[in-house]
Structures are given as C-alpha cells and as structure tokens.
Amino acid sequence: MTAPRKITLTINGTVRSAEAEPRMLLADFIRETLGLTGTHVGCEHGVCGACTIIVNGEAQRSCLAFAVQADGATITTIEGLAASDRMHPLQKLFHECHALQCGFCTPGMLAAALDLVGSHDRLTTEEIRTGMSAVICRCTGYDGIMRAVTAYADQLGKLAPAKG
Amino acid sequence: MREITGYVGKPLLRREDRRLLHGEGQFVGDIVLPKMVHCAFVRSQVPHARIKGVDFAAARRAPGFVTALSGRDIRNVVTPIAGMQVSIPKGWRDRFHYHIDVPAQQILADDKVNYVGEAYAVVVAEDRYKAEDAAELVEPDFEVLEPVVDVDRALKPGSPVLHAEVGSNVISVMSTKKGDGAAALARAKHRIKRRYYHHRYAAMPMECRAVVADYDIRTDSLTVWSSTQVVHWIRKEIGSILGMPEERVRVIAPDVGGGFGGKGHVYPEDVLVPYLARTLRRPIKYVEDRFEHLVNSAHARDNFHDLEIGFDDDGKIVCIVDDFVIDSGAYSPVGATCAANSIAHLLGPYDIQNYEAKGTLVATNKTSNAPYRGAGRPEAAFAMERAIDIAANSIGLDPILMRLRNMVPPERLPFSVGLPYRDGVPITYDSGDYPQALRRAVEELGGLENFRRRQAEGLAAGRYLGIGVGCYVEGTGVGPFEGASVRLDPSGKIMVAVGANNHGQGHETVFAQVAADVWNVPIDQVVVTTADTAAVPMGYGTIASRSTVTAGSAVVHASAKVKDKVLAIAANMLETPTADLEFRDGAVGVKGVPDLKVTLKEIWWASRPGWDHKRPPDMEAGLEANHYYEPPTVTWSYATNAAIVELDPDTGRVTVEKFVAVHDAGILVNPLLADGQVRGGLVQGIGAALYEEIAYDENGQILMGTLADYLLPTADDTPPITVIHQEIPSPSNPLGVKGLGEGGAIAPPCAITNAVSDALRPFKAEFNATPVRWEQVRKVFAEAGVSTPRGRG
C-alpha cells in the first residue's frame, strides 16, 4: 500500500509526471517533487490557507489533500498566474494596494481571491471580507488585501453595492 | 536635466513585491542543496521530567536513517547559548536594584526537560518524512517530576525548582523608583489597587522557523540560512559555540515570513543544525512545523501587575506603585528586557512625580517567554490605562478628561522623566504632542460628548456601547548600534547593505529611498542587501522598532564617508574646487553648469587602484565605507488608540464598531509602508484583546496544538480602522524618524478592555484581565438579569 504511485497532472499549463508515496501531501509534492516552492505551508492543518491552490477550477488547501488524489487534475499555483516579467491584474492590484508584507500568505490569498471573484457574478464588500477570511495574514491587518480584491471584483464588473 | 528631489516621504510601491507575487521569493524552506539531509526533533510531551535515558535502537533501523543525537551525546560538545542574550549597560545597572540569573538552555535537554515541546533528541534522515518516522520511534526513559504550572505556586516554599543552579524559581528581580511612591501613596486622597493580568499569547508569524546549514570543508566554513530577525547574533553564537572564527560563518535570512519578535533571538536549532552539517559533511534542513512552533517557539506577555494608583480629587495622579511578575516559562532568552521595558514605559505620556516599580521573573514549566511586538509595553500600558479608567470612574470624572489632565503638554518637551532607559541613558521624551493625539482620536470617533449621548440613548433602548482609549509612549531605535556598508559599484550603482533584517517591513524599498536621496540618484541606481552577515561586518538586527532609525542613520553616515572621496575625485577630474560641485542625477557636476559633470560610473573608474587612476595625490583607492551608528539614546514614538464597542447581552459578543489610532513616528520615509506597519500591529493587538490565547491545563499540558486552537484574527474579525499619522519629526537622528514596528500592537488590548468595561459601567463590571471572553461579558449581563431567556438558556 505504501509503494510509490505514478502521478500525472497538469500544473500551470504543463503536464508533469512523478512518483509519490500515497501518504505524500499534495503541498509537499508540488513544493518538493515538482520544485514549485511558491506554494507555502503555514499550518499543515487546513486552517491558515497559505497553501491554497486552484485545483480543477476551485480553491483547495494543498496541505489537506494527498498527491495521489490530484492524479489527472489541472492545477494552478502562484507561479502560473503570469510570466515573471508580467503581472496578472490581481497581482498588480496586490502590489499597488500594499496587500502583502512578508509575502508568505500571498500565494493562498491570490488563489482564494481568484476563486472567490471567479465563482461569483456579484459580490458585496462584506461578502469579499468573509470570502477572504479563508486565508490568514499576520502582517497587513487585511486593509490592503481588501482594497485589492474589491478593486479586482470591480474591474471585472462584479462589485455589488453594499447591502442595507 | 531631470531634477530628482526627495524619495523620502513618498509612498513608493515595494521592490520586494514582484518576486513574492510570482512565487519566486526564497524562504528557508524553499532551499534545496545537493545531498541534503533533513532533521526532526524529538520533543517532550510532559512538562517536567528527569531524563534517565534515550533509546534510539528502533529509530536506527528506520528506512533512510542517518544519525541521531540526544542531549547527553552533545553535552560537552555543543554548549548552551548564554541564558540572557542581551547585555545591560552600566547606566542602567547604576539606577536599578536587580539580580538577573537567567538560566541557559541546553541545545538539547540532557538532564531534565522543562516544558512540553522542549527538544531532547534530534534525528537525521534522507527526507523529512523519514526523519519524522524515525523520530517517532525514539523511546525516552523519563522520571516524571511534579510540574510548576503557575507563578503563585512557583513562589511558594516547597515548590519544585526548575533550575537547581539558580536555587529558586525567581530568575530575575529588578526595581527602581523616582520620588517617593510609598509616602506619596500615604498622602494621596484616593488610592486604588488592582491586579491586572495580561495573558499569554505569541507572535505567530505565518512562516514557522527554519534553518538550513551547509559546511564547506575546503575553507572550514559554514553557510547558514535561518528564518530569523538577527543574523549577526546567530553568527556570534555559532562562532563561539562551535569554535569557529565568525569570518568563517555566514548567516543569511532570505525572505522571512514574518517575525514580530518571535524570531528575535537565537534558538538552539540555529546552532545545532550547523553543527550537524559540519559533523555529517552534508547540507541539512530543519523546518519547524506549526505544532512545534506553538509549543517551542517563544511565547509572550503573561504578566501580573499589582498596581496601585494614588490621585487627588481633580484626578491628578500623584503616584504609581507597581509590583509585577512575569511568568517566564522555562527559560527567558531576552526576558529581562521585557521587565525593564515595562518599568521604563509604565508612566506613559503622563507627568507623574512619584513612582516605584518592581518586576520579578519566575520560571515555570511552560514554553519560554520572550519579546513579542511591544515587549513589555503592552503589559505596562494595559495595567496603567485600566488603572486610570478605574480611578476616573471612582471620582465621577471621564477617563478621557483624566488623561488630558495628566499628560505632559507639548510645551514641556523635551521632558525628562527621571528614570534611565535600558540603554542606560536618562529618559527624555524628545518630541510630540500627546494631548493632541488623544483629542484627534476621540474626535475621529465622533467626539466624546456625542458618544456619551449615543451611549445613553442606546442604554435606554437596551444597547450596550462603550468607548475606550489606550495611550502610550514607546522608546524606539534603541542601541547599541546598527551597521551599514555603502560602496560604489563599477557600474555606478550605490550598493547598500544593512545589518537590519527584512521580514515584511519593506527594508529593500525604504533604505533605497534613504540612499537615493543621500546620493541624489534615481532610486533604480541603489541596490540594497539585508540580513547577510557577509555584506556587513557587524550588525545587530531587526528588533525593538529600530531599523529605520538605526540602519537608516547608518546608511546616511556611511554614505557621507564615501561621498567625501567621490567629491574629491570629481574635483580632480573636473579641475574644480569641491565647493563648486554638487551631486545630481547620478553624477557630480559643477553648480550652474548643466553640461559639466562626471557620472558616478566614471568616478568609480577614476578611483580604481592601479595605473592611470585620477584620484587626488595621496588618496587611497576604493569607494566603500562601513558605519556603525550608535544612537545617543532612543527617540520616543507614541500613540492614542481609541475604540467604540458594542456588546451583545445574549451572546456576550464584543463587536468593535470602529478603531482609531493616532500615531507619531516622526518623518515617515514611506507613508504607505508605515501605515501598513501600524495597521498590522493594531490587528495583532485586537487579536490579543479578543481571540488569541495560549492556555495550559493544571498538569502543565499546553492546550493549543494547531491554529484551530490558537485563533488568529481573519479579515472578518477585523473592524473598520482609521490610522492618523502626526509626523512630528524626531530631533534625535539625521532623518527625523522614530520607530514604528511595534507600536500598533501596544494599545488595542487596553483600549478594548476599557471600552468593554465602559459599556458595562451600569453594572460596575471591570475587565482587568485579557483576553475579553464572550462568556465573561455574557455572565455580567446574566447576573444583572439583562440577557434574554434565550441568552440565559
């Protein structure tokens, strides 16, 4: 049961195959086996959200999944948002809004925000605040993050007026 | 020609962001080296036990096993780090009665374990999974001892003693006074004494600690990457403990995922991992997991202040007498500093003539207590600011008005307090306007009268609103020194390296702003290196709200030395006296003659050693200088925090309606980043007031093992926050700056507990301990018969 299995997945647009023990966490597989260290592990228990990635179009904690469960999946990590010399609109807004300090939670924040805004037609700032509570930031106090994600929703024409 | 005037003061976006936003940052855990092995520590699951033996037999048979060591194996080889990692100057010692007897922690426990989480063995294997597998097979032979689980019991006769070499659980005592506290108390018209408890919580950076070490046999040298705030401290300890010249030890902190003080001293792993690399002749990695971080990385606060305040009918404070105890946990690597800070900061922005304070550090079988953002100041501010509210209410005076009556007015600054700071220099509040900060904060909340009207109307309608403030002063930019190295590159770029360590503050941007202005170059012409001992010969580190003040000043002074030579060479090249030259746009030019100039690149080539240089006669080659800035003393930041809260009688829920901070850090080199620093600190302080807590049970077992138990504030838990910067320049350094890293976290606990107590004034409830728990609030309502039947159910 513990013999390594071959895993094939599409990550940031590239098909990659590698072996992993069944117990290997998806986060460790991405970081150590595939060498994509942009995904960070903050708590190993699915609480902090730093390891959040996009799996088959949805945000997922990569520390709560085994690599074998991602066999055949399509994954986007922070490295896949834009080429190094360019910026995804959300990355640009995080930069402009000072939405990061140490940058450790940032991969998870970006993934959570992409999923949140991508999966809704309309979002109020309250809903964005609640949605972004999926990831913990210890540095910023969330002000810049809220401004960045709100502006991103606005850019996509999805920002709804506040309720009440 | 483009006129470059002033990067300092501009909200420039950060240089650090691009790599971090692309997943291209490099944290210690990301480092992979050829032939690297991994280690896992074996940590005590009991708070107090004698180690009779450690059995590695099963572990040695585990797949991928490389080696394992117990404390006894290294006892005489890897000696402990000094118990107290900071030095105390004579000026402080002369004014304090003290004894500091902080025990040293073994690199691996060899005789006894003293807290749940203390490492007593390490296992090395080919990968991390295998290292953890093997570590699970290590069998300790422990004789379990009675644990010392709280300070009251620790101080009772007959209590078990953690450190036989100290002889008691009291590991430090310090006291000082000004005026005559006891006599003034006896004369005071009113006096109120309470116990104020600031609970145990921790820095909790999102990146846990991590160490990678690589030994090079050819040069007998070590390269160590650590997730730390203090690379030069670590280099010193590795050098002295492993018997290597410091020059042969290079310590680098690459991208660091937050520190907040928790990474502000040397941990045993910082020494042991390099030792293993040297012994095994293989690179080795250790990445702390979150459970280890919770049980082994330093905790903070956990202070009991028995504080008595004496005051007259008008609310004028005549004396403060404070006797406080810090639950230090098993060791206290920098802990005496927190006690000294509490004593130095307790009087806050107030003019109080009589003061006595005594702090006692007590060892218990808990994780070590060390500075975290604020470092003794949040605890002192909490005791003081609660005492003022209680005193004011007792004589029917509004607590905000009582503060205004006692604050040092701006016209009396610089104000001599009559106590020494921990750098030994008498405390002088150097600049600011304390009453203005308080008034602006309250105005931002809608004004005191308006609020009191709203509060009364709310009360009539069954709504419980409260207002609370917290005021403090903070000595920032403390010595002993910080180092900077500045040199001109052949390309004409200004290479700046600082001993300060970057872990989210944006140092690469901030020091580029400072250097670009000093040199009058486009900011892209400045390259900044932080947190690398190879780049600056001596450095101190990023702790204690000091980097902009001390490293910024060091950059200014080091630059001045190089600029003098650059100017002299340019004068030689242009055949013009230096008095007629100016630095402009990456060149030195003749004043008033735009075309007559030499670029910094040309000047470097003119300066180089060897044939055909164009230096003036007798000038040595090389355009580089180090400067070690030794601040004369600290410069004083301050703030008022103010909050309006609403309490739900049914659930006890505390909702912060609005939070305001009026903060003065002098000139803001980068207002965007400064604002981010203050906001981040405020939310940490709000977390401390309402959510975060590290608790132990009666057996000394820690109750927090994951972030599901230790509640960090999320976006949803964060109230609307307004930050106002007063920007009154510091007269104490060349940039006019004051420190601001810690300030945000100091006052939210007192502002929020004051606001909660204010909302509960109809029931005379006092919240004199943090955190404010919903169940305590609900209990007040229930006992007053206010909660609804549903709520009481």
Side-chain angles (χ1 to χ4, degrees):
Chain A
M1 290 297 285
T2 57
R5 310 257 185 104
K6 188 177 178 188
I7 295 160
T8 302
L9 46 72
T10 305
I11 190 158
N12 302 328
T14 305
V15 178
R16 302 277 304 267
S17 285
E19 292 204 327
E21 283 186 53
R23 65 173 176 168
M24 182 175 246
L25 298 179
L26 179 55
D28 291 341
F29 182 75
I30 290 170
R31 286 178 50 79
E32 287 158 29
T33 309
L34 303 183
L36 294 168
T37 54
T39 298
H40 298 154
V41 179
C43 78
E44 310 100 29
H45 285 86
V47 184
C48 79
C51 68
T52 305
I53 57 174
I54 309 276
V55 180
N56 297 328
E58 287 187 4
Q60 185 178 316
R61 307 290 213 232
S62 61
C63 78
L64 289 187
F66 292 115
V68 290
Q69 294 173 288
D71 192 24
T74 299
I75 290 175
T76 304
T77 67
I78 186 171
E79 291 95 336
L81 298 187
S84 294
D85 57 345
R86 302 178 57 183
M87 276 209 186
H88 183 283
L90 185 63
Q91 289 172 318
K92 191 161 179 285
L93 285 166
F94 264 61
H95 178 52
E96 289 168 356
C97 296
H98 189 32
L100 64 155
Q101 288 181 20
C102 80
F104 197 80
C105 74
T106 306
M109 285 290 177
L110 293 172
L114 285 171
D115 182 38
L116 177 70
V117 178
S119 62
H120 289 80
D121 294 329
R122 303 289 280 170
L123 281 161
T124 63
T125 51
E126 291 78 10
E127 286 166 341
I128 291 171
R129 184 171 286 280
T130 302
M132 291 311 296
S133 295
V135 182
I136 295 171
C137 169
R138 189 56 160 165
C139 293
T140 64
Y142 302 104
D143 181 63
I145 292 166
M146 280 301 299
R147 284 189 287 117
V149 180
T150 304
Y152 181 59
D154 198 24
Q155 274 183 10
L156 297 183
K158 293 185 171 191
L159 190 63
K163 282 175 187 148
Chain B
M1 175 175 291
R2 190 166 68 88
E3 189 66 22
I4 303 160
T5 49
Y7 291 102
V8 168
K10 289 202 175 124
L12 294 194
L13 301 180
R14 300 198 319 166
R15 304 181 149 196
E16 291 89 342
D17 287 359
R18 180 168 282 276
R19 65 174 186 269
L20 295 169
L21 282 164
H22 282 85
E24 295 175 334
Q26 190 188 45
F27 295 84
V28 175
D30 302 340
I31 295 169
V32 176
L33 299 172
K35 293 171 64 185
M36 188 164 76
V37 290
H38 299 256
C39 63
F41 285 85
V42 190
R43 300 186 181 278
S44 176
Q45 298 182 11
V46 296
H48 202 191
R50 190 157 308 284
I51 303 170
K52 294 162 73 178
V54 180
D55 182 358
F56 292 119
R60 286 182 204 287
R61 292 192 294 272
F65 175 89
V66 174
T67 192
L69 295 169
S70 70
R72 258 167 232 183
D73 295 330
I74 60 164
R75 176 185 285 170
N76 299 317
V77 186
V78 191
T79 53
I81 303 160
M84 176 75 177
Q85 295 186 17
V86 291
S87 62
I88 302 165
K90 184 173 184 302
W92 185 91
R93 291 187 309 235
D94 288 348
R95 278 294 306 273
F96 272 69
H97 293 286
Y98 73 97
H99 90 82
I100 294 174
D101 205 356
V102 176
Q105 180 176 11
Q106 300 290 326
I107 298 294
L108 289 171
D110 63 353
D111 175 43
K112 258 192 354 158
V113 286
N114 284 317
Y115 60 93
V116 173
E118 182 164 19
Y120 60 89
V122 63
V123 176
V124 181
E126 294 294 340
D127 72 34
R128 174 61 179 262
Y129 282 66
K130 292 185 174 79
E132 290 191 26
D133 287 346
E136 277 184 18
L137 299 172
V138 174
E139 283 293 333
D141 182 4
F142 281 175
E143 176 194 343
V144 172
L145 303 172
E146 183 190 338
V148 179
V149 296
D150 64 55
V151 293
D152 286 339
R153 270 184 274 182
L155 293 171
K156 280 202 179 106
S159 166
V161 172
L162 266 76
H163 304 288
E165 71 275 24
V166 179
S168 92
N169 290 322
V170 175
I171 56 175
S172 292
V173 182
M174 60 184 72
S175 62
T176 194
K177 64 189 286 187
K178 70 168 204 167
D180 192 337
L185 258 187
R187 289 195 306 271
K189 185 79 185 291
H190 307 277
R191 48 198 284 186
I192 294 179
K193 187 174 183 181
R194 294 282 189 278
R195 168 164 279 204
Y196 304 97
Y197 175 56
H198 201 115
H199 73 297
R200 177 172 282 243
Y201 50 99
M204 214 56 64
M206 295 320 296
E207 183 206 26
C208 296
R209 292 186 305 108
V211 187
V212 168
D214 188 21
Y215 175 71
D216 178 49
I217 192 161
R218 185 181 66 81
T219 55
D220 186 24
S221 64
L222 276 165
T223 304
V224 179
W225 294 262
S226 179
S227 180
T228 184
Q229 303 171 217
V230 286
V231 290
H232 285 87
W233 294 25
I234 293 179
R235 182 182 67 172
K236 167 173 159 278
E237 295 298 339
I238 293 172
S240 67
I241 295 171
L242 302 188
M244 298 171 74
E246 287 191 26
E247 276 296 315
R248 291 301 197 193
V249 180
R250 180 182 184 190
V251 183
I252 300 163
D255 285 317
V256 171
F260 318 114
K263 298 175 182 172
H265 63 273
V266 187
Y267 283 86
E269 296 93 339
D270 289 317
V271 177
L272 186 60
V273 174
Y275 168 76
L276 287 165
R278 191 178 68 175
T279 307
L280 295 169
R281 303 285 200 259
R282 288 180 73 176
I284 180 165
K285 179 189 269 190
Y286 166 62
V287 179
E288 181 188 62
D289 68 23
R290 183 58 64 180
F291 172 73
E292 290 181 289
H293 187 83
L294 278 155
V295 301
N296 185 57
S297 282
H299 297 170
R301 319 289 195 238
D302 209 352
N303 291 6
F304 299 85
H305 283 252
D306 290 318
L307 183 146
E308 186 158 15
I309 181 171
F311 52 103
D312 65 22
D313 285 335
D314 298 328
K316 177 73 191 146
I317 302 167
V318 295
C319 66
I320 295 287
V321 176
D322 184 29
D323 186 351
F324 66 95
V325 175
I326 301 179
D327 184 337
S328 284
Y331 308 94
S332 186
V334 205
T337 296
C338 290
N341 280 347
S342 286
I343 292 172
H345 290 82
L346 198 121
L347 295 179
Y350 311 109
D351 175 13
I352 298 167
Q353 292 305 310
N354 302 291
Y355 174 52
E356 284 181 21
K358 178 182 168 207
T360 305
L361 275 68
V362 176
T364 61
N365 289 115
K366 296 177 187 169
T367 302
S368 300
N369 187 334
Y372 157 46
R373 206 170 198 165
R377 301 171 184 90
E379 301 93 312
F382 177 70
M384 185 69 185
E385 294 293 285
R386 279 299 299 136
I388 292 178
D389 267 39
I390 293 168
N393 286 328
S394 77
I395 54 171
L397 177 65
D398 197 288
I400 290 164
L401 299 179
M402 178 154 167
R403 284 177 174 80
L404 288 170
R405 280 183 198 173
N406 285 282
M407 276 180 168
V408 178
E411 60 272 17
R412 289 185 60 199
L413 267 51
F415 178 81
S416 177
V417 174
L419 295 168
Y421 199 66
R422 79 168 198 262
D423 58 11
V425 179
I427 293 173
T428 303
Y429 297 165
D430 51 354
S431 74
D433 189 336
Y434 310 141
Q436 186 187 51
L438 174 54
R439 286 196 198 96
R440 287 175 80 177
V442 175
E443 275 163 29
E444 186 63 26
L445 290 178
L448 186 58
E449 282 179 29
N450 273 342
F451 175 77
R452 291 295 179 208
R453 195 177 317 119
R454 246 189 92 200
Q455 186 181 35
E457 287 164 7
L459 195 57
R463 288 181 64 191
Y464 293 86
L465 296 162
I467 191 169
V469 301
C471 307
Y472 68 86
V473 294
E474 182 196 3
T476 66
V478 70
F481 78 97
E482 190 53 273
S485 166
V486 172
R487 96 192 127 79
L488 205 59
D489 185 75
S491 65
K493 293 208 171 200
I494 313 294
M495 309 300 288
V496 174
V498 288
N501 295 220
N502 191 10
H503 36 282
Q505 296 88 341
H507 286 170
E508 290 166 36
T509 307
V510 167
F511 296 125
Q513 289 178 258
V514 171
D517 276 7
V518 169
W519 282 88
N520 213 348
V521 296
I523 196 164
D524 292 344
Q525 208 168 326
V526 181
V527 179
V528 177
T529 301
T530 68
D532 181 351
T533 59
V536 186
M538 291 186 285
Y540 202 72
T542 293
I543 56 168
S545 304
R546 62 192 294 282
S547 291
T548 306
V549 178
T550 59
S553 299
V555 170
V556 172
H557 289 295
S559 294
K561 296 179 193 174
V562 183
K563 281 172 70 181
D564 282 348
K565 285 180 82 172
V566 166
L567 212 53
I569 294 166
N572 202 39
M573 294 167 79
L574 293 164
E575 297 177 356
T576 307
T578 54
D580 294 333
L581 299 178
E582 64 184 1
F583 284 84
R584 65 183 187 224
D585 202 12
V588 176
V590 179
K591 288 176 189 168
V593 189
D595 295 341
L596 204 53
K597 61 169 187 175
V598 282
T599 65
L600 292 178
K601 183 176 176 176
E602 289 164 341
I603 294 169
W604 186 89
W605 285 98
S607 79
R608 74 196 187 283
W611 294 307
D612 299 333
H613 69 75
K614 295 176 193 156
R615 299 190 306 269
D618 303 328
M619 179 185 276
E620 221 181 310
L623 292 176
E624 57 199 57
N626 296 322
H627 184 85
Y628 303 102
Y629 178 71
E630 300 167 274
T633 183
V634 290
T635 181
W636 289 82
S637 298
Y638 60 92
T640 290
N641 288 189
I644 292 175
V645 302
E646 178 162 9
L647 310 180
D648 180 343
D650 292 343
T651 62
R653 181 187 179 116
V654 179
T655 302
V656 180
E657 184 181 280
K658 188 168 183 190
F659 200 98
V660 177
V662 181
H663 188 274
D664 183 0
I667 299 292
L668 301 178
V669 175
N670 185 321
L672 180 72
L673 274 52
D675 202 67
Q677 286 294 303
V678 174
R679 284 177 183 278
L682 292 172
V683 173
Q684 290 189 359
I686 291 167
L690 295 172
Y691 308 111
E692 299 175 36
E693 179 175 17
I694 293 173
Y696 283 79
D697 72 10
E698 66 279 12
N699 301 313
Q701 192 59 243
I702 188 168
L703 301 178
M704 279 65 191
T706 74
L707 292 185
D709 316 312
Y710 188 87
L711 304 180
L712 293 166
T714 67
D716 243 354
D717 302 316
T718 305
I721 295 172
T722 302
V723 178
I724 296 167
H725 301 277
Q726 297 221 122
E727 287 202 73
I728 298 172
S730 167
S732 308
N733 59 68
L735 293 166
V737 295
K738 308 172 192 172
L740 52 63
E742 294 172 281
I746 294 173
C750 44
I752 289 173
T753 44
N754 278 341
V756 169
S757 301
D758 184 59
L760 294 173
R761 256 197 311 172
F763 315 116
K764 300 199 183 328
E766 291 178 9
F767 278 74
N768 296 333
T770 56
V772 177
R773 297 189 183 87
W774 292 13
E775 59 265 34
Q776 295 168 325
V777 174
R778 191 170 158 268
K779 188 159 170 260
V780 174
F781 285 116
E783 284 174 358
V786 173
S787 6
T788 63
R790 180 174 57 82
R792 274 190 226 105

